[in-house]
Amino acid sequence: MFKNKSLLCLLVLFLITSFGGFNIFPEEVDTIELKPVCTLPSADNEETYFRKIPFFSVTDDGEIFAIVNLDSLIFKMDRKGCYLGKVGTKGRGPGDIFLPYSIETTKDRLIILDSIAFSFFELNGKFLSKFKNFMSIENFCVSDKHIYANTPRADKLITKFTYSGKIINQFGEKFKIDYSVHDKINPIRVDDHVNSSYVLKSEKHIFIVFKAFGEIHKYDLKGNLVEKSKINFFDKKIDSIARKHHDLCFKKGLIKTVPNGIATIDMLNGASIYNGRLYLMLSQSILINPKFNLIYVLNTQSLKTIERLKISNVTNQKGYLNTMCLAVQSIDNIPYFYVGTSDPESKDLYIGVYKK
Amino acid sequence: MILSPYEYIKKKIVLLATLLLIVGLFFIVYSNTTDCYHIIKNKAENSILLKPYKGKPTVIYLISAANKKCNPLYKYETLKALKKDVCVVFLVAEDYTDIDIENFRFAFKIPEKHIVKKIHGEWKNILTKCIRSDNMIFNIVMTVKEDGTIAKIRRF
């Protein structure tokens, strides 16, 4: 009898695994260590400085436009980190920038999102146009004609604009939240945390990557949902943290801090898309004493993790390097990884450049 | 009674002047009732009086910039839901384009009955004075009673 039961269990196990019902023994993925190339701005560049970890965008030619949020400035650097000039001036009028926080480049345009508006510039810094921002846009991605803005406080997560500011449509379902589990926390704060995400665009799809627990929703360009998927981190510890974050958002409730904050950390703090791959940077704050940081590479078709990229030496005597904002760009057919970084020991803020 | 030519001309001039005065007064009154966002500064009482829109209690928002995350419209949602007879007027900064106004209405779900128009005249001066800060963006909300006195002014 016992023998029969064991055989039956083995048979069921075999059937489940062979039909792909769920994968009990996940395949491992390669982990490739990234090699540091340089840090930007270059040492002889005295004009460029950052007061916060910079957000930036890298053009096809390798030129970098980096935000200095507190000074309402955009610095332009060449691929070696040499200063090329500033874009915009601080203010609220045409061609002015006021507390910018997100930036994208196309082949011929620089698009800056600040607290007031989207501003359009040529890559040489010449102002083109602007339209106002009313929708609490967190970040955005661009095509040749449209802007896909991440609007977590609107009814839908994505608002599609033309370059002139006309709204084409809205799509992207928000998570339904049971606010009663979040004891004494403002529902707006809960909503902000749960639906906080990156929006990325490939040739045919839009991806919404949720920062809090690492879930991806894939839409076609018309706004129809194609697929939902959870990131497989291929690490028991990280996977369990992702599950814990998910439970906090939907079952147990977020933890309140004084006076009106919430004690949560995002799973992800950088995302980029390049050449049919999604690059998602782990927030190392979720790990205690991290020895390295990881960038997960996912196939945009299958949304499966295909490899991990490792950034070593992230810890020094004062703590670990805090990284934020990731961009991937190919220069002379070699992909380079740009990571916004703050060093607690030297107190330097810079863009670290890595390659495989 | 036969009037002398001099008296006849005098009477005609007085009549014409009276007519012109009546037409002028009618024009002033009419224009004030259709677009009555004019401030009357009462120096003696050191207060500002203004006429409410068509005699209704009115809430006037002076908008410099309104990003839904950091600077939502102060109590507009409550006002919209609970006080349906209140007239709401949004006076937006001069550089707002038609698309900006359209997007502003869309983002805050402002119904057609609430007015959104570009700022002008004395209002512009008030807004300019109140948002002088370099690092913050301020808007203003004013609650106007039926008699035209301001019940409340708040910067947000």
Side-chain angles (χ1 to χ4, degrees):
Chain A
M1 186 68 183
F2 177 73
K3 214 174 182 179
N4 283 345
K5 270 189 180 173
S6 309
L7 274 171
L8 192 68
C9 283
L10 277 172
L11 186 68
V12 169
L13 200 65
F14 172 75
L15 283 171
I16 288 168
T17 50
S18 55
F19 284 108
F22 67 91
N23 200 350
I24 297 173
F25 310 111
E27 294 162 23
E28 263 304 314
V29 290
D30 290 337
T31 305
I32 299 164
E33 179 139 359
L34 292 177
K35 294 169 197 158
V37 177
C38 63
T39 60
L40 309 174
S42 58
D44 56 344
N45 176 356
E46 289 177 359
E47 287 90 345
T48 314
Y49 59 90
F50 301 118
R51 289 165 65 188
K52 280 170 76 176
I53 298 179
F55 285 86
F56 51 87
S57 182
V58 186
T59 66
D60 294 348
D61 298 334
E63 286 179 346
I64 296 131
F65 290 91
I67 291 174
V68 188
N69 172 277
L70 295 172
D71 295 329
S72 297
L73 281 174
I74 308 295
F75 283 125
K76 184 180 179 184
M77 291 178 277
D78 69 8
R79 62 174 73 177
K80 290 176 182 168
C82 297
Y83 177 77
L84 293 178
K86 289 178 199 168
V87 177
T89 48
K90 186 177 181 179
R92 294 163 190 166
D96 293 343
I97 301 163
F98 193 79
L99 301 175
Y101 60 91
S102 192
I103 187 166
E104 287 290 340
T105 47
T106 65
K107 281 177 188 169
D108 57 356
R109 283 184 202 208
L110 168 69
I111 304 167
I112 299 161
L113 174 62
D114 66 18
S115 299
I116 297 175
F118 274 104
S119 298
F120 297 77
F121 294 85
E122 286 179 4
L123 293 179
N124 61 15
K126 186 187 169 193
F127 173 70
L128 295 170
S129 62
K130 77 190 295 180
F131 69 87
K132 305 262 189 233
N133 159 26
F134 303 111
M135 303 186 77
S136 177
I137 297 165
E138 201 169 307
N139 49 62
F140 66 100
C141 62
V142 288
S143 68
D144 288 341
K145 288 181 180 173
H146 298 111
I147 288 176
Y148 297 85
N150 182 2
T151 49
R153 289 219 179 159
D155 296 337
K156 303 279 180 182
L157 280 169
I158 306 287
T159 304
K160 185 178 174 183
F161 293 93
T162 63
Y163 277 11
S164 63
K166 192 168 176 56
I167 295 171
I168 306 288
N169 63 349
Q170 287 189 306
F171 60 91
E173 290 303 318
K174 293 169 82 173
F175 282 101
K176 284 174 184 159
I177 303 162
D178 178 7
Y179 296 108
S180 64
V181 301
H182 303 280
D183 189 31
K184 292 176 185 170
I185 300 177
N186 185 339
I188 295 171
R189 299 297 305 268
V190 178
D191 210 39
D192 278 353
H193 177 70
V194 174
N195 289 302
S196 175
S197 49
Y198 295 107
V199 55
L200 302 160
K201 184 188 169 297
S202 70
E203 204 176 314
K204 291 179 181 172
H205 295 103
I206 299 290
F207 301 88
I208 304 174
V209 183
F210 293 91
K211 295 178 192 177
F213 38 84
E215 191 168 315
I216 304 168
H217 294 181
K218 181 177 170 182
Y219 290 85
D220 65 19
L221 295 184
K222 288 179 181 170
N224 302 310
L225 181 67
V226 177
E227 194 179 348
K228 287 182 182 181
S229 174
K230 281 185 181 168
I231 301 167
N232 189 342
F233 291 102
F234 287 98
D235 184 302
K236 278 181 187 171
K237 205 171 167 184
I238 300 170
D239 280 324
S240 82
I241 293 169
R243 275 195 300 277
K244 192 180 157 193
H245 280 208
H246 189 273
D247 286 353
L248 283 172
C249 291
F250 297 103
K251 291 176 187 168
K252 293 178 182 169
L254 298 170
I255 300 153
K256 193 181 178 184
T257 57
V258 176
N260 196 24
I262 43 175
T264 51
I265 303 163
D266 290 333
M267 290 294 296
L268 304 167
N269 64 0
S272 185
I273 193 164
Y274 166 75
N275 205 15
R277 303 277 186 269
L278 282 171
Y279 294 85
L280 308 175
M281 186 163 68
L282 201 68
S283 167
Q284 69 274 59
S285 316
I286 61 165
L287 302 171
I288 300 161
N289 298 323
K291 299 282 187 292
F292 50 83
N293 197 9
L294 289 169
I295 296 167
Y296 285 82
V297 186
L298 282 76
N299 187 314
T300 50
Q301 289 301 320
S302 63
L303 296 183
K304 297 265 188 305
T305 307
I306 50 176
E307 65 182 9
R308 292 186 298 192
L309 306 173
K310 186 168 144 184
I311 301 172
S312 295
N313 303 321
V314 297
T315 308
N316 56 36
Q317 286 182 342
K318 289 271 174 90
Y320 54 86
L321 301 183
N322 193 12
T323 54
M324 198 178 280
C325 188
L326 170 71
V328 185
Q329 187 57 268
S330 171
I331 298 166
D332 302 332
N333 293 322
I334 301 166
Y336 285 85
F337 301 85
Y338 298 79
V339 180
T341 311
S342 81
D343 184 336
E345 192 172 86
S346 64
K347 293 185 179 170
D348 276 349
L349 297 157
Y350 57 86
I351 300 167
V353 186
Y354 302 86
K355 67 176 183 179
K356 281 188 181 175
Chain B
M1 193 174 71
I2 300 165
L3 295 171
S4 68
Y6 172 72
E7 281 175 331
Y8 178 77
I9 291 166
K10 191 181 167 188
K11 196 176 178 181
K12 283 284 175 193
I13 288 170
V14 168
L15 191 70
L16 193 67
T18 313
L19 271 170
L20 280 172
L21 191 68
I22 290 165
V23 170
L25 278 171
F26 176 77
F27 181 76
I28 290 164
V29 170
Y30 180 76
S31 64
N32 273 348
T33 50
T34 51
D35 188 13
C36 54
Y37 310 118
H38 299 285
I39 297 173
I40 303 152
K41 284 181 181 167
N42 188 334
K43 285 181 184 173
E45 292 177 15
N46 197 21
S47 65
I48 300 170
L49 293 171
L50 70 162
K51 289 185 180 178
Y53 188 73
K54 289 176 184 169
K56 281 184 180 177
T58 307
V59 175
I60 299 171
Y61 286 88
L62 308 185
I63 302 295
S64 168
N67 189 338
K68 222 172 176 183
K69 189 161 192 172
C70 58
N71 208 3
L73 298 182
Y74 177 75
K75 290 192 175 173
Y76 176 63
E77 287 299 319
T78 319
L79 190 75
K80 194 166 61 173
L82 300 177
K83 298 196 174 178
K84 292 187 178 167
D85 59 329
V86 171
C87 178
V88 183
V89 182
F90 294 96
L91 297 177
V92 296
E94 273 184 325
D95 63 340
Y96 275 51
T97 62
D98 289 346
I99 285 180
D100 288 335
I101 291 174
E102 201 179 302
N103 290 354
F104 177 69
R105 273 193 183 277
F106 181 83
F108 292 100
K109 294 176 183 160
I110 298 169
E112 283 299 316
K113 66 174 183 175
H114 292 168
I115 298 156
V116 182
K117 55 195 253 179
K118 285 189 192 181
I119 204 159
H120 62 274
E122 279 290 318
W123 293 113
K124 193 184 160 193
N125 296 338
I126 291 182
L127 188 63
T128 313
K129 277 175 194 167
C130 294
I131 60 165
R132 207 178 282 161
S133 166
D134 284 342
N135 294 315
M136 296 290 284
I137 304 163
F138 292 114
N139 302 311
I140 296 158
V141 60
M142 287 183 180
T143 311
V144 186
K145 287 188 209 165
E146 279 176 62
D147 64 0
T149 53
I150 295 172
K152 199 162 104 182
I153 301 180
R154 192 186 167 93
R155 195 167 73 168
F156 66 96

